[in-house]
Amino acid sequence: MLTINNAVKIFSQGTPNEHKALSGLNLHLERGEFVTVVGSNGAGKSTMFNAICGNFLLNSGSIFVDGQNITYMKEHKRAGFIGRVFQDPMKGTAPNLTIEENLALAYSRQKTGPFGAAVNKKNRDMFKEALSEFNMGLEDRMQTKVGLLSGGQRQVVTLLMCTLVTPKLLLLDEHTAALDPATAEKVMEITERIVDRNNLTTLMITHNLNSALRTGTRTIMMDSGNIILDVSGEERAKMTLDDLLNMYSLKKKEAFDNDRMLLS
Ligand SMILES: Nc1ncnc2c1ncn2[C@@H]1O[C@H](COP(=O)(O)OP(=O)(O)O)[C@@H](O)[C@H]1O
Ligand SMILES: [Mg+2]
């Protein structure tokens, strides 16, 4: 479903600030794989997502989604089949539009024809039903402006916006990191349910190593713009937090520089 070949991204090339954020990264995801992504700050995790979404062009390498070469495809075109949720709950939704208007906008964006946040009866019923499954009471607040919702509620609306029309790829960038633990847990549950039901091919960046091992089917660890660890199946099922940290130390021969990653 997703193939990244030898991706290189160099920021500020030719200046004293030159930095290779992706250094020959290779990754292949089968359809329906749910891969968690860990790695210390600055490892290149978000840069990998930015590359997939087309925020910039690679210096070299190529990216394929579903057999199609998207290496040079415009960002807005990729947005039609890639869903992305950021850490910041403010990012995915329009605060001055209501829940149903946000959903209508997301729903119309995926199709040809006029763009708009107009809501008709049929869509309203569909949105309501989808929201009610999350047991957050959002189905009774369809006309509430999204800016009035809590961070967790906004992340759930964003998740639904990204998946109303099934994306080929779902990218979650620490999407629960800004939430309190109980809300984060709830949003993770909803995430897993959405991914499961739609059999979505998913990459989820998380700083929570426990969650990384518990969630999904495969875990990759990034460091200095590359993947240094890739575990799945039985090896992953048996893996403890300590194993993961030890393997990292083994690869890196140095301790994690990010205290957050040690918290679970
Ligand atoms: N737009 C940019 N311009 C310059 N440097 C960048 C840019 N985006 C990311 N970087 C640098 O690339 C490295 C990887 O960043 P990032 O992918 O955000 O790391 P993380 O793994 O924490 O998500 C960091 O050193 C970061 O400062
Ligand atoms: Mg990041």
Side-chain angles (χ1 to χ4, degrees), residues 45-46 173-174 205:
K45 305 180 297 294
S46 297
D173 194 342
E174 303 206 38
I205 298 172

Side-chain angles (χ1 to χ4, degrees), residues 34-38 202-206 211-221 236:
F34 185 169
V35 180
T36 56
V37 184
V38 298
T202 305
L203 278 166
M204 180 178 85
I205 298 172
T206 176
S211 171
L213 285 176
R214 266 200 334 259
T215 316
T217 54
R218 176 177 166 195
T219 298
I220 61 177
M221 183 179 278
R236 179 176 184 264

Side-chain angles (χ1 to χ4, degrees), residues 213 219 221 228-232 235-236 239-254 256:
L213 285 176
T219 298
M221 183 179 278
I228 58 165
L229 195 72
D230 188 341
V231 287
S232 57
E235 184 189 12
R236 179 176 184 264
M239 194 168 255
T240 64
L241 198 62
D242 279 345
D243 294 336
L244 190 59
L245 288 167
N246 287 337
M247 282 181 86
Y248 178 78
S249 303
L250 207 75
K251 298 255 180 194
K252 258 300 262 190
K253 297 220 183 335
E254 65 181 2
F256 276 100

Side-chain angles (χ1 to χ4, degrees), residues 39-47 49-50 84 87 173-174 205 260:
S40 45
N41 269 336
K45 305 180 297 294
S46 297
T47 301
F49 279 15
N50 288 335
R84 186 173 187 182
Q87 176 173 342
D173 194 342
E174 303 206 38
I205 298 172
R260 282 199 313 159

Side-chain angles (χ1 to χ4, degrees), residues 9 77 87 95 122 141 160 165 169 171 175 179 192 247:
K9 179 62 195 177
K77 276 192 83 180
Q87 176 173 342
K122 194 167 140 241
R141 304 184 64 186
L160 186 57
V165 177
L169 201 60
L171 305 179
H175 71 305
L179 309 175
E192 290 189 74
M247 282 181 86

Side-chain angles (χ1 to χ4, degrees), residues 45-66:
K45 305 180 297 294
S46 297
T47 301
M48 174 173 74
F49 279 15
N50 288 335
I52 295 168
C53 292
N55 289 153
F56 49 70
L57 292 179
L58 294 173
N59 291 77
S60 61
S62 56
I63 304 174
F64 290 79
V65 170
D66 214 6

